[in-house]
Amino acid sequence: MTVGEVLRRSTAFLAGRGSETPRLDAELLLGKALEVERIDLYLDHDRPLTQGELDAARALVVRRGRREPVQHVLGEWPFRRLVLTVDRRALIPRPETEILVERCLALIAERDAPRVLDVGVGSGAIALAIADEHAGSHVTGVDVSPDALALARENAARTGIDLEVLEHDLFNGLPAGPWDLVVSNPPYVHAAELPGLAPEVADWEPRLALLADGHTESIARSAVSVLQPGGALVLEAHGEEAGDVAELLVAHGFVDVHVTPDLAGRDRVVEGRLSGAGRPG
């Protein structure tokens, strides 16, 4: 069976199993099995596969056919300039979260050595991207999940980026700063929404990182006491609740509150700055 035939059959199989991107998935999985880039699949379109290559490709496609996220099957996924290990221990880094990082970088661009706190560090994607793209930043990531913390440490080692990682429950407040930036992609999916989620999300990603339970409110409240005067809070939000989050920040005394849409045009990232008058005593 040739590369082209495997691509065609894999695409049809994955489409029948409900994948929204069957051709792309087939290309990525076959590329991993053959240890080549996607473009090479078309350069070698008519090359017959060995039995070992067929077996390797089949195993990956079967996993994806069970609705395991393609990112998990591949074992890694790109995020901005980095390639990170991904698995069931934390949320898969998503394109909308790259917008979150962009806003963070803009807010600390004029600071030579900003202190940054990532609340709910997960895979480390946000924290590592900020540290990677702002060379002078000092970034700390906290999470309540030991599994997520282990993954973040693995990704810090993989990328060679210095990242402090601490176990911490955000409902006990935030680590004492003062911080120049507090950022979080908190859980914001409601339990009633779970039945409507794709199996790749509902069955494979950690509920602890998905389900909203007052996380956003707690972070906004606690950030006031740990930010530097003029420091910023940046939060990813539910696409239908960014306006509510913006109002929450205003209620806690943040100024210059702004909402940025994601690539699909949904309001997604909410930011605000702590008044230069300083933190409450």
Side-chain angles (χ1 to χ4, degrees), residues 206-244:
R207 295 290 175 92
L208 185 65
L210 278 176
L211 292 180
D213 190 21
H215 299 79
T216 297
E217 294 83 353
S218 182
I219 294 167
R221 181 174 59 251
S222 298
V224 174
S225 63
V226 299
L227 279 167
Q228 289 270 23
L233 172 64
V234 186
L235 299 168
E236 187 169 318
H238 190 295
E240 297 179 2
E241 297 176 352
D244 294 336

PDB file of all heavy atoms in Angstrom, residues 206-244:
ATOM      1  N   PRO A 206      -8.544  17.097  31.457  1.00  0.00           N
ATOM      2  CA  PRO A 206      -8.833  17.019  32.897  1.00  0.00           C
ATOM      3  C   PRO A 206      -9.982  17.943  33.317  1.00  0.00           C
ATOM      4  O   PRO A 206      -9.969  19.138  33.031  1.00  0.00           O
ATOM      5  CB  PRO A 206      -7.507  17.445  33.544  1.00  0.00           C
ATOM      6  CG  PRO A 206      -6.778  18.206  32.487  1.00  0.00           C
ATOM      7  CD  PRO A 206      -7.192  17.617  31.188  1.00  0.00           C
ATOM      8  N   ARG A 207     -10.962  17.368  34.000  1.00  0.00           N
ATOM      9  CA  ARG A 207     -12.112  18.153  34.450  1.00  0.00           C
ATOM     10  C   ARG A 207     -11.676  19.284  35.382  1.00  0.00           C
ATOM     11  O   ARG A 207     -12.280  20.356  35.393  1.00  0.00           O
ATOM     12  CB  ARG A 207     -13.109  17.243  35.178  1.00  0.00           C
ATOM     13  CG  ARG A 207     -13.742  16.179  34.298  1.00  0.00           C
ATOM     14  CD  ARG A 207     -14.712  16.775  33.299  1.00  0.00           C
ATOM     15  NE  ARG A 207     -15.234  15.777  32.370  1.00  0.00           N
ATOM     16  CZ  ARG A 207     -16.347  15.086  32.570  1.00  0.00           C
ATOM     17  NH1 ARG A 207     -17.048  15.251  33.678  1.00  0.00           N
ATOM     18  NH2 ARG A 207     -16.766  14.210  31.668  1.00  0.00           N
ATOM     19  N   LEU A 208     -10.634  19.033  36.165  1.00  0.00           N
ATOM     20  CA  LEU A 208     -10.147  20.049  37.096  1.00  0.00           C
ATOM     21  C   LEU A 208      -9.756  21.336  36.367  1.00  0.00           C
ATOM     22  O   LEU A 208      -9.919  22.434  36.904  1.00  0.00           O
ATOM     23  CB  LEU A 208      -8.934  19.499  37.865  1.00  0.00           C
ATOM     24  CG  LEU A 208      -8.347  20.382  38.970  1.00  0.00           C
ATOM     25  CD1 LEU A 208      -9.364  20.563  40.098  1.00  0.00           C
ATOM     26  CD2 LEU A 208      -7.060  19.762  39.509  1.00  0.00           C
ATOM     27  N   ALA A 209      -9.261  21.191  35.139  1.00  0.00           N
ATOM     28  CA  ALA A 209      -8.831  22.355  34.366  1.00  0.00           C
ATOM     29  C   ALA A 209      -9.935  22.900  33.470  1.00  0.00           C
ATOM     30  O   ALA A 209      -9.765  23.965  32.861  1.00  0.00           O
ATOM     31  CB  ALA A 209      -7.623  21.977  33.510  1.00  0.00           C
ATOM     32  N   LEU A 210     -11.053  22.177  33.379  1.00  0.00           N
ATOM     33  CA  LEU A 210     -12.149  22.574  32.490  1.00  0.00           C
ATOM     34  C   LEU A 210     -13.272  23.311  33.204  1.00  0.00           C
ATOM     35  O   LEU A 210     -13.751  24.357  32.738  1.00  0.00           O
ATOM     36  CB  LEU A 210     -12.743  21.344  31.805  1.00  0.00           C
ATOM     37  CG  LEU A 210     -12.071  20.766  30.565  1.00  0.00           C
ATOM     38  CD1 LEU A 210     -12.809  19.505  30.140  1.00  0.00           C
ATOM     39  CD2 LEU A 210     -12.048  21.779  29.431  1.00  0.00           C
ATOM     40  N   LEU A 211     -13.743  22.739  34.317  1.00  0.00           N
ATOM     41  CA  LEU A 211     -15.017  23.156  34.893  1.00  0.00           C
ATOM     42  C   LEU A 211     -14.896  24.371  35.802  1.00  0.00           C
ATOM     43  O   LEU A 211     -14.133  24.374  36.773  1.00  0.00           O
ATOM     44  CB  LEU A 211     -15.635  21.992  35.663  1.00  0.00           C
ATOM     45  CG  LEU A 211     -16.107  20.820  34.803  1.00  0.00           C
ATOM     46  CD1 LEU A 211     -16.698  19.728  35.669  1.00  0.00           C
ATOM     47  CD2 LEU A 211     -17.118  21.280  33.762  1.00  0.00           C
ATOM     48  N   ALA A 212     -15.673  25.389  35.482  1.00  0.00           N
ATOM     49  CA  ALA A 212     -15.686  26.627  36.263  1.00  0.00           C
ATOM     50  C   ALA A 212     -16.299  26.384  37.635  1.00  0.00           C
ATOM     51  O   ALA A 212     -17.306  25.696  37.771  1.00  0.00           O
ATOM     52  CB  ALA A 212     -16.480  27.698  35.523  1.00  0.00           C
ATOM     53  N   ASP A 213     -15.658  26.965  38.650  1.00  0.00           N
ATOM     54  CA  ASP A 213     -16.179  26.842  40.015  1.00  0.00           C
ATOM     55  C   ASP A 213     -15.698  28.027  40.847  1.00  0.00           C
ATOM     56  O   ASP A 213     -15.177  27.864  41.951  1.00  0.00           O
ATOM     57  CB  ASP A 213     -15.726  25.520  40.640  1.00  0.00           C
ATOM     58  CG  ASP A 213     -16.435  25.232  41.958  1.00  0.00           C
ATOM     59  OD1 ASP A 213     -17.524  25.801  42.183  1.00  0.00           O
ATOM     60  OD2 ASP A 213     -15.902  24.455  42.775  1.00  0.00           O
ATOM     61  N   GLY A 214     -15.847  29.219  40.278  1.00  0.00           N
ATOM     62  CA  GLY A 214     -15.437  30.418  40.997  1.00  0.00           C
ATOM     63  C   GLY A 214     -13.981  30.790  40.830  1.00  0.00           C
ATOM     64  O   GLY A 214     -13.484  31.697  41.522  1.00  0.00           O
ATOM     65  N   HIS A 215     -13.283  30.128  39.915  1.00  0.00           N
ATOM     66  CA  HIS A 215     -11.855  30.386  39.742  1.00  0.00           C
ATOM     67  C   HIS A 215     -11.582  31.823  39.301  1.00  0.00           C
ATOM     68  O   HIS A 215     -10.703  32.501  39.860  1.00  0.00           O
ATOM     69  CB  HIS A 215     -11.261  29.425  38.704  1.00  0.00           C
ATOM     70  CG  HIS A 215     -11.374  27.978  39.067  1.00  0.00           C
ATOM     71  ND1 HIS A 215     -12.543  27.270  38.902  1.00  0.00           N
ATOM     72  CD2 HIS A 215     -10.462  27.102  39.571  1.00  0.00           C
ATOM     73  CE1 HIS A 215     -12.355  26.016  39.295  1.00  0.00           C
ATOM     74  NE2 HIS A 215     -11.101  25.884  39.706  1.00  0.00           N
ATOM     75  N   THR A 216     -12.311  32.288  38.290  1.00  0.00           N
ATOM     76  CA  THR A 216     -12.063  33.630  37.756  1.00  0.00           C
ATOM     77  C   THR A 216     -12.292  34.682  38.833  1.00  0.00           C
ATOM     78  O   THR A 216     -11.480  35.615  38.996  1.00  0.00           O
ATOM     79  CB  THR A 216     -12.968  33.893  36.545  1.00  0.00           C
ATOM     80  OG1 THR A 216     -12.627  32.962  35.499  1.00  0.00           O
ATOM     81  CG2 THR A 216     -12.804  35.313  36.027  1.00  0.00           C
ATOM     82  N   GLU A 217     -13.369  34.554  39.567  1.00  0.00           N
ATOM     83  CA  GLU A 217     -13.672  35.518  40.621  1.00  0.00           C
ATOM     84  C   GLU A 217     -12.591  35.534  41.690  1.00  0.00           C
ATOM     85  O   GLU A 217     -12.179  36.600  42.171  1.00  0.00           O
ATOM     86  CB  GLU A 217     -15.029  35.186  41.250  1.00  0.00           C
ATOM     87  CG  GLU A 217     -16.213  35.348  40.310  1.00  0.00           C
ATOM     88  CD  GLU A 217     -16.449  34.141  39.400  1.00  0.00           C
ATOM     89  OE1 GLU A 217     -15.601  33.213  39.405  1.00  0.00           O
ATOM     90  OE2 GLU A 217     -17.472  34.122  38.697  1.00  0.00           O
ATOM     91  N   SER A 218     -12.113  34.351  42.074  1.00  0.00           N
ATOM     92  CA  SER A 218     -11.084  34.264  43.110  1.00  0.00           C
ATOM     93  C   SER A 218      -9.778  34.900  42.652  1.00  0.00           C
ATOM     94  O   SER A 218      -9.115  35.619  43.420  1.00  0.00           O
ATOM     95  CB  SER A 218     -10.857  32.799  43.490  1.00  0.00           C
ATOM     96  OG  SER A 218      -9.895  32.697  44.521  1.00  0.00           O
ATOM     97  N   ILE A 219      -9.400  34.655  41.408  1.00  0.00           N
ATOM     98  CA  ILE A 219      -8.159  35.236  40.879  1.00  0.00           C
ATOM     99  C   ILE A 219      -8.255  36.757  40.838  1.00  0.00           C
ATOM    100  O   ILE A 219      -7.326  37.473  41.257  1.00  0.00           O
ATOM    101  CB  ILE A 219      -7.851  34.674  39.484  1.00  0.00           C
ATOM    102  CG1 ILE A 219      -7.536  33.182  39.570  1.00  0.00           C
ATOM    103  CG2 ILE A 219      -6.669  35.422  38.846  1.00  0.00           C
ATOM    104  CD1 ILE A 219      -7.520  32.478  38.220  1.00  0.00           C
ATOM    105  N   ALA A 220      -9.366  37.271  40.335  1.00  0.00           N
ATOM    106  CA  ALA A 220      -9.525  38.728  40.240  1.00  0.00           C
ATOM    107  C   ALA A 220      -9.467  39.368  41.619  1.00  0.00           C
ATOM    108  O   ALA A 220      -8.822  40.419  41.807  1.00  0.00           O
ATOM    109  CB  ALA A 220     -10.845  39.058  39.551  1.00  0.00           C
ATOM    110  N   ARG A 221     -10.110  38.759  42.579  1.00  0.00           N
ATOM    111  CA  ARG A 221     -10.129  39.309  43.941  1.00  0.00           C
ATOM    112  C   ARG A 221      -8.732  39.275  44.560  1.00  0.00           C
ATOM    113  O   ARG A 221      -8.280  40.267  45.151  1.00  0.00           O
ATOM    114  CB  ARG A 221     -11.107  38.510  44.793  1.00  0.00           C
ATOM    115  CG  ARG A 221     -11.229  38.996  46.229  1.00  0.00           C
ATOM    116  CD  ARG A 221     -12.321  38.247  46.970  1.00  0.00           C
ATOM    117  NE  ARG A 221     -12.088  36.812  46.996  1.00  0.00           N
ATOM    118  CZ  ARG A 221     -12.802  35.929  46.303  1.00  0.00           C
ATOM    119  NH1 ARG A 221     -13.785  36.325  45.506  1.00  0.00           N
ATOM    120  NH2 ARG A 221     -12.539  34.629  46.404  1.00  0.00           N
ATOM    121  N   SER A 222      -8.031  38.162  44.396  1.00  0.00           N
ATOM    122  CA  SER A 222      -6.728  38.017  45.036  1.00  0.00           C
ATOM    123  C   SER A 222      -5.626  38.807  44.334  1.00  0.00           C
ATOM    124  O   SER A 222      -4.659  39.229  44.966  1.00  0.00           O
ATOM    125  CB  SER A 222      -6.330  36.537  45.076  1.00  0.00           C
ATOM    126  OG  SER A 222      -7.249  35.787  45.843  1.00  0.00           O
ATOM    127  N   ALA A 223      -5.771  39.008  43.029  1.00  0.00           N
ATOM    128  CA  ALA A 223      -4.730  39.704  42.275  1.00  0.00           C
ATOM    129  C   ALA A 223      -4.531  41.130  42.767  1.00  0.00           C
ATOM    130  O   ALA A 223      -3.414  41.674  42.710  1.00  0.00           O
ATOM    131  CB  ALA A 223      -5.072  39.709  40.790  1.00  0.00           C
ATOM    132  N   VAL A 224      -5.597  41.736  43.283  1.00  0.00           N
ATOM    133  CA  VAL A 224      -5.508  43.123  43.749  1.00  0.00           C
ATOM    134  C   VAL A 224      -4.439  43.286  44.824  1.00  0.00           C
ATOM    135  O   VAL A 224      -3.741  44.300  44.875  1.00  0.00           O
ATOM    136  CB  VAL A 224      -6.885  43.593  44.272  1.00  0.00           C
ATOM    137  CG1 VAL A 224      -6.796  44.974  44.894  1.00  0.00           C
ATOM    138  CG2 VAL A 224      -7.916  43.578  43.155  1.00  0.00           C
ATOM    139  N   SER A 225      -4.274  42.286  45.666  1.00  0.00           N
ATOM    140  CA  SER A 225      -3.362  42.404  46.799  1.00  0.00           C
ATOM    141  C   SER A 225      -1.945  41.938  46.494  1.00  0.00           C
ATOM    142  O   SER A 225      -1.055  42.092  47.334  1.00  0.00           O
ATOM    143  CB  SER A 225      -3.906  41.617  47.997  1.00  0.00           C
ATOM    144  OG  SER A 225      -3.991  40.244  47.694  1.00  0.00           O
ATOM    145  N   VAL A 226      -1.707  41.385  45.300  1.00  0.00           N
ATOM    146  CA  VAL A 226      -0.353  40.884  45.006  1.00  0.00           C
ATOM    147  C   VAL A 226       0.294  41.570  43.807  1.00  0.00           C
ATOM    148  O   VAL A 226       1.468  41.328  43.516  1.00  0.00           O
ATOM    149  CB  VAL A 226      -0.355  39.353  44.796  1.00  0.00           C
ATOM    150  CG1 VAL A 226      -0.846  38.644  46.054  1.00  0.00           C
ATOM    151  CG2 VAL A 226      -1.175  38.951  43.583  1.00  0.00           C
ATOM    152  N   LEU A 227      -0.440  42.424  43.113  1.00  0.00           N
ATOM    153  CA  LEU A 227       0.119  43.132  41.961  1.00  0.00           C
ATOM    154  C   LEU A 227       0.827  44.415  42.390  1.00  0.00           C
ATOM    155  O   LEU A 227       0.420  45.081  43.351  1.00  0.00           O
ATOM    156  CB  LEU A 227      -0.989  43.497  40.964  1.00  0.00           C
ATOM    157  CG  LEU A 227      -1.458  42.414  40.003  1.00  0.00           C
ATOM    158  CD1 LEU A 227      -2.755  42.842  39.324  1.00  0.00           C
ATOM    159  CD2 LEU A 227      -0.387  42.103  38.952  1.00  0.00           C
ATOM    160  N   GLN A 228       1.861  44.760  41.636  1.00  0.00           N
ATOM    161  CA  GLN A 228       2.476  46.067  41.779  1.00  0.00           C
ATOM    162  C   GLN A 228       1.476  47.151  41.387  1.00  0.00           C
ATOM    163  O   GLN A 228       0.615  46.908  40.543  1.00  0.00           O
ATOM    164  CB  GLN A 228       3.676  46.179  40.823  1.00  0.00           C
ATOM    165  CG  GLN A 228       4.884  45.351  41.180  1.00  0.00           C
ATOM    166  CD  GLN A 228       5.837  46.116  42.081  1.00  0.00           C
ATOM    167  OE1 GLN A 228       5.441  47.058  42.765  1.00  0.00           O
ATOM    168  NE2 GLN A 228       7.089  45.709  42.071  1.00  0.00           N
ATOM    169  N   PRO A 229       1.574  48.342  41.960  1.00  0.00           N
ATOM    170  CA  PRO A 229       0.792  49.455  41.409  1.00  0.00           C
ATOM    171  C   PRO A 229       1.090  49.599  39.918  1.00  0.00           C
ATOM    172  O   PRO A 229       2.253  49.620  39.508  1.00  0.00           O
ATOM    173  CB  PRO A 229       1.299  50.659  42.196  1.00  0.00           C
ATOM    174  CG  PRO A 229       1.799  50.080  43.481  1.00  0.00           C
ATOM    175  CD  PRO A 229       2.385  48.746  43.120  1.00  0.00           C
ATOM    176  N   GLY A 230       0.053  49.623  39.103  1.00  0.00           N
ATOM    177  CA  GLY A 230       0.235  49.669  37.659  1.00  0.00           C
ATOM    178  C   GLY A 230       0.397  48.315  37.019  1.00  0.00           C
ATOM    179  O   GLY A 230       0.483  48.215  35.791  1.00  0.00           O
ATOM    180  N   GLY A 231       0.435  47.257  37.832  1.00  0.00           N
ATOM    181  CA  GLY A 231       0.540  45.905  37.298  1.00  0.00           C
ATOM    182  C   GLY A 231      -0.749  45.478  36.621  1.00  0.00           C
ATOM    183  O   GLY A 231      -1.809  46.086  36.810  1.00  0.00           O
ATOM    184  N   ALA A 232      -0.664  44.414  35.827  1.00  0.00           N
ATOM    185  CA  ALA A 232      -1.803  44.019  35.003  1.00  0.00           C
ATOM    186  C   ALA A 232      -2.280  42.607  35.333  1.00  0.00           C
ATOM    187  O   ALA A 232      -1.488  41.735  35.711  1.00  0.00           O
ATOM    188  CB  ALA A 232      -1.433  44.096  33.523  1.00  0.00           C
ATOM    189  N   LEU A 233      -3.578  42.407  35.153  1.00  0.00           N
ATOM    190  CA  LEU A 233      -4.209  41.098  35.240  1.00  0.00           C
ATOM    191  C   LEU A 233      -4.780  40.775  33.869  1.00  0.00           C
ATOM    192  O   LEU A 233      -5.478  41.599  33.272  1.00  0.00           O
ATOM    193  CB  LEU A 233      -5.332  41.107  36.276  1.00  0.00           C
ATOM    194  CG  LEU A 233      -6.213  39.858  36.356  1.00  0.00           C
ATOM    195  CD1 LEU A 233      -5.401  38.641  36.788  1.00  0.00           C
ATOM    196  CD2 LEU A 233      -7.383  40.090  37.323  1.00  0.00           C
ATOM    197  N   VAL A 234      -4.467  39.579  33.348  1.00  0.00           N
ATOM    198  CA  VAL A 234      -4.952  39.159  32.035  1.00  0.00           C
ATOM    199  C   VAL A 234      -5.586  37.782  32.192  1.00  0.00           C
ATOM    200  O   VAL A 234      -4.949  36.846  32.683  1.00  0.00           O
ATOM    201  CB  VAL A 234      -3.816  39.106  30.992  1.00  0.00           C
ATOM    202  CG1 VAL A 234      -4.392  38.798  29.610  1.00  0.00           C
ATOM    203  CG2 VAL A 234      -3.043  40.419  30.957  1.00  0.00           C
ATOM    204  N   LEU A 235      -6.845  37.656  31.746  1.00  0.00           N
ATOM    205  CA  LEU A 235      -7.601  36.425  31.918  1.00  0.00           C
ATOM    206  C   LEU A 235      -8.211  35.975  30.603  1.00  0.00           C
ATOM    207  O   LEU A 235      -8.765  36.798  29.859  1.00  0.00           O
ATOM    208  CB  LEU A 235      -8.733  36.637  32.929  1.00  0.00           C
ATOM    209  CG  LEU A 235      -8.344  37.030  34.361  1.00  0.00           C
ATOM    210  CD1 LEU A 235      -9.568  37.481  35.120  1.00  0.00           C
ATOM    211  CD2 LEU A 235      -7.662  35.861  35.053  1.00  0.00           C
ATOM    212  N   GLU A 236      -8.128  34.681  30.322  1.00  0.00           N
ATOM    213  CA  GLU A 236      -8.923  34.123  29.239  1.00  0.00           C
ATOM    214  C   GLU A 236     -10.314  33.852  29.789  1.00  0.00           C
ATOM    215  O   GLU A 236     -10.469  33.468  30.955  1.00  0.00           O
ATOM    216  CB  GLU A 236      -8.295  32.842  28.702  1.00  0.00           C
ATOM    217  CG  GLU A 236      -8.988  32.313  27.453  1.00  0.00           C
ATOM    218  CD  GLU A 236      -8.212  31.206  26.756  1.00  0.00           C
ATOM    219  OE1 GLU A 236      -6.978  31.316  26.635  1.00  0.00           O
ATOM    220  OE2 GLU A 236      -8.856  30.238  26.334  1.00  0.00           O
ATOM    221  N   ALA A 237     -11.339  34.067  28.956  1.00  0.00           N
ATOM    222  CA  ALA A 237     -12.707  33.958  29.435  1.00  0.00           C
ATOM    223  C   ALA A 237     -13.575  33.156  28.478  1.00  0.00           C
ATOM    224  O   ALA A 237     -13.259  33.017  27.297  1.00  0.00           O
ATOM    225  CB  ALA A 237     -13.305  35.360  29.623  1.00  0.00           C
ATOM    226  N   HIS A 238     -14.664  32.657  28.990  1.00  0.00           N
ATOM    227  CA  HIS A 238     -15.699  32.018  28.185  1.00  0.00           C
ATOM    228  C   HIS A 238     -16.153  33.006  27.115  1.00  0.00           C
ATOM    229  O   HIS A 238     -16.335  34.203  27.388  1.00  0.00           O
ATOM    230  CB  HIS A 238     -16.856  31.645  29.107  1.00  0.00           C
ATOM    231  CG  HIS A 238     -17.900  30.786  28.506  1.00  0.00           C
ATOM    232  ND1 HIS A 238     -18.720  31.188  27.467  1.00  0.00           N
ATOM    233  CD2 HIS A 238     -18.287  29.508  28.801  1.00  0.00           C
ATOM    234  CE1 HIS A 238     -19.553  30.228  27.163  1.00  0.00           C
ATOM    235  NE2 HIS A 238     -19.312  29.189  27.949  1.00  0.00           N
ATOM    236  N   GLY A 239     -16.358  32.513  25.904  1.00  0.00           N
ATOM    237  CA  GLY A 239     -16.695  33.390  24.801  1.00  0.00           C
ATOM    238  C   GLY A 239     -17.965  34.191  24.985  1.00  0.00           C
ATOM    239  O   GLY A 239     -18.146  35.231  24.341  1.00  0.00           O
ATOM    240  N   GLU A 240     -18.851  33.736  25.868  1.00  0.00           N
ATOM    241  CA  GLU A 240     -20.095  34.459  26.113  1.00  0.00           C
ATOM    242  C   GLU A 240     -20.080  35.228  27.430  1.00  0.00           C
ATOM    243  O   GLU A 240     -21.093  35.835  27.809  1.00  0.00           O
ATOM    244  CB  GLU A 240     -21.273  33.478  26.107  1.00  0.00           C
ATOM    245  CG  GLU A 240     -21.471  32.781  24.756  1.00  0.00           C
ATOM    246  CD  GLU A 240     -22.622  31.803  24.777  1.00  0.00           C
ATOM    247  OE1 GLU A 240     -23.288  31.691  25.836  1.00  0.00           O
ATOM    248  OE2 GLU A 240     -22.861  31.149  23.744  1.00  0.00           O
ATOM    249  N   GLU A 241     -18.918  35.236  28.116  1.00  0.00           N
ATOM    250  CA  GLU A 241     -18.887  35.848  29.439  1.00  0.00           C
ATOM    251  C   GLU A 241     -17.766  36.865  29.614  1.00  0.00           C
ATOM    252  O   GLU A 241     -17.533  37.334  30.730  1.00  0.00           O
ATOM    253  CB  GLU A 241     -18.772  34.755  30.505  1.00  0.00           C
ATOM    254  CG  GLU A 241     -19.971  33.819  30.506  1.00  0.00           C
ATOM    255  CD  GLU A 241     -19.837  32.674  31.489  1.00  0.00           C
ATOM    256  OE1 GLU A 241     -18.742  32.518  32.078  1.00  0.00           O
ATOM    257  OE2 GLU A 241     -20.816  31.925  31.669  1.00  0.00           O
ATOM    258  N   ALA A 242     -17.082  37.220  28.528  1.00  0.00           N
ATOM    259  CA  ALA A 242     -15.983  38.165  28.648  1.00  0.00           C
ATOM    260  C   ALA A 242     -16.461  39.510  29.192  1.00  0.00           C
ATOM    261  O   ALA A 242     -15.762  40.161  29.979  1.00  0.00           O
ATOM    262  CB  ALA A 242     -15.290  38.351  27.297  1.00  0.00           C
ATOM    263  N   GLY A 243     -17.661  39.932  28.787  1.00  0.00           N
ATOM    264  CA  GLY A 243     -18.201  41.189  29.297  1.00  0.00           C
ATOM    265  C   GLY A 243     -18.413  41.140  30.799  1.00  0.00           C
ATOM    266  O   GLY A 243     -18.131  42.118  31.512  1.00  0.00           O
ATOM    267  N   ASP A 244     -18.882  39.998  31.304  1.00  0.00           N
ATOM    268  CA  ASP A 244     -19.067  39.845  32.748  1.00  0.00           C
ATOM    269  C   ASP A 244     -17.728  39.887  33.480  1.00  0.00           C
ATOM    270  O   ASP A 244     -17.625  40.462  34.574  1.00  0.00           O
ATOM    271  CB  ASP A 244     -19.769  38.521  33.049  1.00  0.00           C
ATOM    272  CG  ASP A 244     -21.188  38.480  32.517  1.00  0.00           C
ATOM    273  OD1 ASP A 244     -21.791  39.560  32.336  1.00  0.00           O
ATOM    274  OD2 ASP A 244     -21.689  37.366  32.264  1.00  0.00           O
TER     275      ASP A 244
END
